[in-house]
Amino acid sequence: MSPKKQASTRKTSLYRLNAPADPGLDLHTLVEERYRGREGFTTTPVDHAGVVGLLVTGSIARDRAEWCDVLSELTGADVQVAGRTSSGLLLVRTERAVYAVTYGMGHHMIDSARLDLGFGLQFALRCLDQDGISLVRRHLMDARGRTNENSTTRGGNLRDLGTEWIGSIVSKITGKAIDLPLTHTSAGRRSLGVSCTDSSISLPLGRSPQQFLNDLRVIEDACTQPAPLPGLESLAKVRSLRRRGKTDLVRELNERLDQYLGDLDAPGLALNFPGECASHATETRAIRIMRGSRVIDVGDLDIDDIRQFVRDRPDGCRLSTLKDVRVQLFADEECTESLSPPIPGHRWITAEVRSGAAHHFYWQGSWYEIGAEFVQALRDDVTELLGRPSGVVLPTWPAGKKTDEDWFNKEAAKQPGYDLFDKKNVHTGTFRGGGLEICDVLGPEGQLIMVKKADKGSSGLSHLFAQARTATEALRYDAEVREKFLARVAELRPNDPPEDTLATPTVVLAIRLKYGVPLTADSLFAFSQVSLLQTALALQGMGAKVEVVPIYA
């Protein structure tokens, strides 16, 4: 039998680093400090057949693998197996940039602050076949903080995979590359599979120095294309700035956020429920804020409730202090029945910082960059949604301590044809404790009216949007909730067929902005616009009609 021919390529992870392609740059500075000179690791300068850079290799040996204890307990046998973790990192300097090629656990050796976080998606959006996408992982910038991963074995376009551009942060995309003269395709192979994250590309690269350098040039040329390929533009609208907050831009944004936390008039700061808490918004009766021995309990959370723990701190210390604050939801006013774990305070805020055409947003504890095109598209869609006519008429809501949400709901229910449902929760085996609040007021044509007073940010709106989704989902899919709600409607309206209320429900989001500011796309914080559109899409997908009604002062 003839020996097997060695493949000309090998699947490799490739990163581009935020470092100048300067021959004077010390490449050692791009390696995580704990691996520099570490026992068992070797660092070697490289200058071979045009490949110029730095090679770092090594392994961490263990006399006994960490899983031996588990197997010993389960089987009663004395399991003794050595463990070894191997890592390889090659830093390569070209005329344009510095790249990192990794094998095994080699990616852990890169200083994460030096990763170019746009590299992987920049490449993917300029070379992937729009009809050959096999996987998209995206994060939705709404109140629930959800992550969706859609995949197909045969490949398809973004619409087939069910992706929406509104508030989607793509962190991974896999598919077939087209028209790239790489070593892999020139060897007679028909297609090239590529998997890209925000910072990396995983693809076959040439094994010889000449092939490898040629492949790097092809990738560099692809990244210089002026715009994403048709059909992929929507994925380029939002860019994550994650990676432990070490980049210069993130440090600058954190400084701005730190200043906002100490400024009572800061325009770009608002409150937002973390994803794991949004589903409990309708059940919450008390919220506890803690730092050290200081504890404050509130009924409705406001941004200033959290900010008071940090605003008197010195410059540069507020954000770090906020990360020590904990916020917890409870189902009872005595704070004995917890609905959530204590969650760090910085995950309860959103912030917006504008820098030229780009907007940067702090959301769920991370920064994101959104271009002007995305912001304008948001504004147009929100304007259309706010302009839809509604059959609901609501009273004014003047400022004053006595005119709280409870007062307004009762005023609205005094109108002919309207009924009060605020605090008349439905209790079922699923919704125990505080039960489920379906709506605040039932409209004359069975509209589910949900009321919220909020500032221009997300503080009350994320609660409102979560209530709308939870109530609509429960009415649609939970027979016990639906039966109990319809029974209550029948008691109040014996002459109206209660089933008609839910055949094609109308959900009315009634919003009063702080200080009586008019409700427009311009007066809503950008993430509130995202959450509003995501909520409208979700409700429409469940067969509901969505209306947004402003409440005037």
Side-chain angles (χ1 to χ4, degrees):
M1 181 183 293
S2 59
K4 184 178 180 181
K5 183 179 179 180
Q6 186 181 57
S8 59
T9 63
R10 178 184 172 89
K11 194 71 171 286
T12 305
S13 295
L14 178 69
Y15 302 80
R16 188 171 65 195
L17 304 185
N18 284 318
D22 181 355
L25 174 69
D26 183 0
L27 296 180
H28 291 81
T29 62
L30 306 179
V31 180
E32 275 282 2
E33 188 172 359
R34 65 181 182 272
Y35 290 101
R36 303 176 198 169
R38 180 172 180 166
E39 183 179 357
F41 285 77
T42 302
T43 302
T44 307
V46 174
D47 189 350
H48 172 65
V51 177
V52 178
L54 183 71
L55 173 65
V56 185
T57 58
S59 63
I60 300 173
R62 295 182 177 88
D63 294 336
R64 194 164 181 260
E66 59 183 357
W67 43 263
C68 289
D69 287 339
V70 176
L71 284 183
S72 295
E73 290 182 35
L74 289 174
T75 64
D78 183 15
V79 180
Q80 299 287 344
V81 179
R84 181 176 294 272
T85 301
S86 300
S87 304
L89 167 65
L90 174 62
L91 300 175
V92 180
R93 183 188 287 114
T94 71
E95 294 181 356
R96 304 183 194 180
V98 177
Y99 295 90
V101 179
T102 67
Y103 299 94
M105 302 302 290
H107 57 284
H108 288 303
M109 294 193 289
I110 306 172
D111 183 350
S112 60
R114 309 304 290 268
L115 291 173
D116 184 339
L117 297 183
F119 173 55
L121 294 181
Q122 181 185 25
F123 175 77
L125 302 183
R126 286 161 176 79
C127 76
L128 291 186
D129 182 354
Q130 63 170 313
D131 293 319
I133 307 298
S134 57
L135 180 147
V136 175
R137 180 186 299 156
R138 61 198 180 99
H139 309 273
L140 303 181
M141 296 189 305
D142 62 11
R144 296 185 172 190
R146 294 171 293 159
T147 298
N148 285 352
E149 184 169 291
N150 303 77
S151 62
T152 174
T153 56
R154 302 182 61 183
N157 57 44
L158 295 177
R159 183 170 298 177
D160 292 337
L161 289 172
T163 60
E164 294 286 349
W165 73 268
I166 301 172
S168 291
I169 303 162
V170 176
S171 62
K172 184 176 182 179
I173 183 169
T174 299
K176 301 295 184 181
I178 56 175
D179 299 329
L180 290 178
L182 293 165
T183 302
H184 181 85
T185 52
S186 63
R189 299 177 178 88
R190 294 183 179 180
S191 63
L192 171 65
V194 178
S195 181
C196 301
T197 68
D198 53 357
S199 60
S200 70
I201 308 171
S202 179
L203 78 171
L205 292 179
R207 297 173 67 108
S208 74
Q210 182 180 359
Q211 292 171 333
F212 173 75
L213 292 174
N214 177 72
D215 288 347
L216 272 188
R217 283 191 288 269
V218 171
I219 292 170
E220 288 181 323
D221 289 342
C223 289
T224 60
Q225 296 302 310
L229 293 171
L232 300 178
E233 307 96 327
S234 64
L235 300 185
K237 296 179 183 295
V238 182
R239 187 166 74 99
S240 169
L241 300 181
R242 292 193 306 276
R243 301 295 181 192
R244 306 180 192 175
K246 294 183 180 178
T247 66
D248 292 339
L249 176 57
V250 169
R251 277 194 289 267
E252 178 184 342
L253 293 170
N254 283 339
E255 290 174 2
R256 294 281 295 275
L257 176 54
D258 190 88
Q259 294 171 6
Y260 284 178
L261 290 169
D263 181 2
L264 291 177
D265 298 320
L269 192 65
L271 187 74
N272 191 60
F273 271 50
E276 60 266 45
C277 292
S279 61
H280 298 301
T282 59
E283 307 166 62
T284 300
R285 292 295 172 267
I287 301 172
R288 174 162 288 177
I289 314 166
M290 303 160 280
R291 181 175 182 264
S293 59
R294 186 181 180 187
V295 178
I296 294 177
D297 295 336
V298 297
D300 291 314
L301 190 63
D302 186 85
I303 183 66
D304 289 334
D305 295 326
I306 294 179
R307 189 158 53 174
Q308 66 174 297
F309 281 75
V310 303
R311 64 187 177 207
D312 294 331
R313 297 283 293 160
D315 290 347
C317 297
R318 299 185 189 95
L319 181 57
S320 59
T321 300
L322 185 62
K323 293 180 180 180
D324 293 333
V325 174
R326 294 294 182 267
V327 182
Q328 188 171 14
L329 306 183
F330 291 87
D332 62 320
E333 295 180 356
E334 293 73 29
C335 295
T336 60
E337 186 179 344
S338 63
L339 292 172
S340 75
I343 296 175
H346 74 291
R347 295 195 56 229
W348 291 80
I349 66 171
T350 59
E352 176 179 354
V353 177
R354 300 188 181 188
S355 177
H359 288 212
H360 295 99
F361 296 92
Y362 191 78
W363 175 77
Q364 303 285 353
S366 299
W367 284 102
Y368 298 88
E369 181 177 283
I370 299 179
E373 179 188 0
F374 180 93
V375 174
Q376 184 60 46
L378 269 182
R379 186 182 184 282
D380 292 344
D381 285 357
V382 170
T383 298
E384 186 278 328
L385 178 58
L386 297 179
R388 296 177 186 175
S390 175
V392 167
V393 177
L394 295 174
T396 58
W397 188 343
K401 292 184 178 180
K402 295 183 179 180
T403 57
D404 57 10
E405 194 171 302
D406 178 72
W407 172 87
F408 179 82
N409 290 334
K410 291 176 180 176
E411 288 296 307
K414 291 178 181 178
Q415 302 178 109
Y418 292 75
D419 290 296
L420 183 66
F421 272 75
D422 183 27
K423 298 183 176 62
K424 297 180 180 179
N425 297 358
V426 172
H427 295 80
T428 68
T430 301
F431 295 98
R432 300 185 295 273
L436 174 65
E437 184 176 86
I438 301 297
C439 64
D440 294 304
V441 179
L442 192 67
E445 297 177 6
Q447 299 99 324
L448 305 174
I449 305 172
M450 303 175 188
V451 176
K452 184 55 61 178
K453 178 181 179 181
D455 59 21
K456 68 177 293 184
S458 312
S459 50
L461 297 182
S462 60
H463 186 138
L464 175 67
F465 301 151
Q467 177 190 1
R469 287 187 176 185
T470 303
T472 305
E473 288 173 352
L475 289 173
R476 182 177 177 85
Y477 301 116
D478 191 319
E480 187 178 7
V481 169
R482 186 166 55 251
E483 290 173 3
K484 290 193 173 184
F485 176 71
L486 289 176
R488 183 164 293 173
V489 173
E491 292 176 3
L492 296 171
R493 303 180 178 183
N495 297 325
D496 294 335
E499 289 79 5
D500 292 348
T501 303
L502 303 183
T504 54
T506 297
V507 177
V508 178
L509 305 174
I511 300 172
R512 181 195 186 275
L513 293 184
K514 200 171 184 179
Y515 308 122
V517 174
L519 181 62
T520 67
D522 292 330
S523 63
L524 283 176
F525 190 64
F527 274 3
S528 291
Q529 296 183 39
V530 169
S531 289
L532 174 59
L533 293 177
Q534 289 283 5
T535 299
L537 283 172
L539 297 179
Q540 290 165 4
M542 289 184 278
K545 179 182 177 182
V546 181
E547 298 174 355
V548 183
V549 176
I551 302 173
Y552 299 101

